[in-house]
Amino acid sequence: MSLKIDPAFIQPAEHRPKPTISGAGTIPLIDLSPLLHHQIPSDSSDPAIPNEISSLIAAIGAACRDWGFFQVINHGVDPQLLERIQKAVVEFFALPAEEKRKVKRDEVNPLGYYDSENTKNVRDWKEVLDLVNREYDDGLLVLKNRWPEYPPAMRKTCEEYISVVEKLSYKLVELISLSLNLPAKRLNGFFKDSSSYFRLNYYNPCPMPDLVMGVGRHKDSGALTVLYQDQVGGLDVKRKSDGEWVRVKPTSNSYIINVGDVIEVWTNQRYESVEHRASVNSEKARLSIPFFFLPTFSTNVKPLEELVSDENPAKYEEYNWREFVSSRLGSNFKKMDKENIQISHFKKTTI
């Protein structure tokens, strides 16, 4: 019997996954355990910084520069909380379709359940539930959480999880700042009343994983992504050194961290956002839980003045984060005639 699949899911030939993806030469694994014993210093020039912390800052800087991705262990998030959030995710996506659609997104409010997201105008093989940690309504942009009734523990577990991962995100941003020889809290003010959001991804087994992607190739538009994935695996990262796709091997109780477009602009391209994608398989469902750490909506994103000079002029024009987000919202959920807005549209031309 021949298998058929909706053509909307089929990737262009040049972007289909290869039969085998290398796991060799994959993203750095960084141990955050020094933070369990030492405070993050306020300034990288402090002579009293313990060697463990100095080494940690250097490792994060190298990972951001060379990969744009790294994996962290001993991050301080309770493994039992990770187990509870996974259980809630599995229970929600196992509900009947009509139950999940009770919290489906609509044209007014883009939060909630959805199963027809597009990446670069090709439909993704996944279901999602999007939630924000701070609701927002300015009369034009409405972001209101749609909490499912089932499973009953879902809301409490998610709210606890979001709070913990946001704290981890601040620590990572401070370490990144220190790696740039900036004060640890140089970027913190951009995240006051942040527009961060939290996504539950569920990838069902796919009968044609050689033609379809769970999420097509893309870069993250925000500042930092903190991703938890289960042990099935499927995250592929485009290696900067040679442009090859490499599979990120799941590591128990770890997080995968990647630099987004906003940090690329802030650092004047010293740290670059990198393409990645989610592959699917024909045998096992997979789940991932990304937390997108995003600036407050009023932020005007531009290269930091400390990282710009006559020898290294600003590579990007300034843009407003609220306007950027609004322009992108629709394109993820319906096919467009043109590419949605990217930071490349704000790249300065060199003469």
Side-chain angles (χ1 to χ4, degrees):
M1 183 178 73
S2 62
L3 293 171
K4 290 186 177 180
I5 199 165
D6 187 334
F9 289 106
I10 305 298
Q11 290 284 330
E14 66 271 23
H15 297 305
R16 294 172 190 169
K18 295 179 181 178
T20 57
I21 300 292
S22 172
T26 191
I27 65 174
L29 181 66
I30 297 177
D31 185 351
L32 295 183
S33 60
L35 298 183
L36 303 177
H37 314 293
H38 304 286
Q39 295 291 320
I40 294 175
S42 60
D43 194 299
S44 61
S45 63
D46 183 350
I49 295 176
N51 289 337
E52 282 182 295
I53 296 294
S54 293
S55 297
L56 175 59
I57 293 168
I60 284 182
C64 290
R65 181 190 67 238
D66 298 339
W67 281 89
F69 266 83
F70 54 97
Q71 202 163 182
V72 297
I73 55 174
N74 296 318
H75 40 68
V77 178
D78 187 346
Q80 292 186 348
L81 177 58
L82 289 171
E83 289 178 9
R84 284 193 284 123
I85 192 78
Q86 284 187 88
K87 183 174 183 290
V89 173
V90 171
E91 289 179 356
F92 172 75
F93 287 109
L95 292 171
E98 60 269 22
E99 188 67 33
K100 289 181 282 192
R101 289 183 183 130
K102 288 180 180 178
V103 291
K104 188 173 181 179
R105 74 183 297 274
D106 57 34
E107 293 295 323
V108 175
N109 180 10
L111 298 181
Y113 171 77
Y114 208 63
D115 61 357
S116 303
E117 188 173 40
N118 293 290
T119 301
K120 297 196 183 295
N121 278 335
V122 181
R123 187 172 169 184
D124 296 328
W125 188 271
K126 68 176 180 182
E127 300 173 71
V128 305
L129 181 68
D130 284 336
L131 302 161
V132 290
N133 54 339
R134 291 175 187 84
E135 295 184 329
Y136 183 84
D137 184 352
D138 65 3
L140 295 173
L141 177 61
V142 178
L143 299 172
K144 298 287 185 182
N145 285 327
R146 302 177 192 274
W147 291 104
E149 187 177 353
Y150 300 102
M154 182 95 169
R155 179 169 185 168
K156 182 181 178 182
T157 302
C158 287
E159 289 179 336
E160 181 182 351
Y161 181 83
I162 289 170
S163 174
V164 168
V165 177
E166 185 177 46
K167 290 175 183 175
L168 173 61
S169 301
Y170 270 110
K171 291 179 182 178
L172 292 165
V173 163
E174 290 177 10
L175 291 168
I176 288 171
S177 294
L178 290 167
S179 77
L180 294 161
N181 295 316
L182 299 172
K185 298 187 184 298
R186 174 62 177 90
L187 302 175
N188 289 29
F190 293 121
F191 299 98
K192 185 179 184 297
D193 298 325
S194 79
S195 60
S196 303
Y197 78 100
F198 164 72
R199 167 168 284 188
L200 310 177
N201 287 319
Y202 194 77
Y203 306 93
N204 285 295
C206 176
M208 293 184 175
D210 55 329
L211 301 178
V212 171
M213 301 298 302
V215 184
R217 75 200 193 286
H218 68 285
K219 298 179 180 183
D220 289 350
S221 62
L224 198 72
T225 303
V226 180
L227 174 94
Y228 178 79
Q229 67 168 348
D230 65 13
Q231 294 300 296
V232 175
L235 175 65
D236 302 329
V237 173
K238 198 170 189 178
R239 191 163 49 201
K240 286 180 67 175
S241 60
D242 59 8
E244 288 295 314
W245 289 102
V246 295
R247 176 67 45 86
V248 178
K249 183 180 179 182
T251 300
S252 182
N253 292 328
S254 71
Y255 281 101
I256 297 161
I257 315 300
N258 66 282
V259 166
D261 291 345
V262 169
I263 282 185
E264 176 171 329
V265 174
W266 281 339
T267 65
N268 206 28
Q269 223 171 25
R270 189 179 300 189
Y271 295 161
E272 292 181 90
S273 181
V274 170
E275 275 195 324
H276 51 288
R277 66 188 188 185
S279 294
V280 290
N281 70 82
S282 59
E283 298 175 359
K284 292 182 178 179
R286 172 179 177 256
L287 67 87
S288 70
I289 308 172
F291 176 78
F292 299 99
F293 198 39
L294 310 177
T296 184
F297 278 124
S298 62
T299 302
N300 288 327
V301 182
K302 62 180 180 178
L304 299 174
E305 59 184 21
E306 301 96 321
L307 302 179
V308 172
S309 65
D310 290 340
E311 297 76 28
N312 184 34
K315 295 180 172 68
Y316 290 95
E317 302 285 355
E318 182 175 332
Y319 64 93
N320 178 263
W321 177 244
R322 160 71 172 76
E323 293 173 4
F324 184 91
V325 170
S326 295
S327 68
R328 287 188 63 135
L329 279 174
S331 63
N332 285 343
F333 295 91
K334 60 184 177 181
K335 197 160 185 174
M336 307 290 283
D337 294 329
K338 60 181 180 179
E339 181 185 43
N340 61 12
I341 194 168
Q342 308 285 341
I343 60 164
S344 58
H345 297 141
F346 300 97
K347 193 84 180 284
K348 288 191 174 184
T349 55
T350 56
I351 300 174

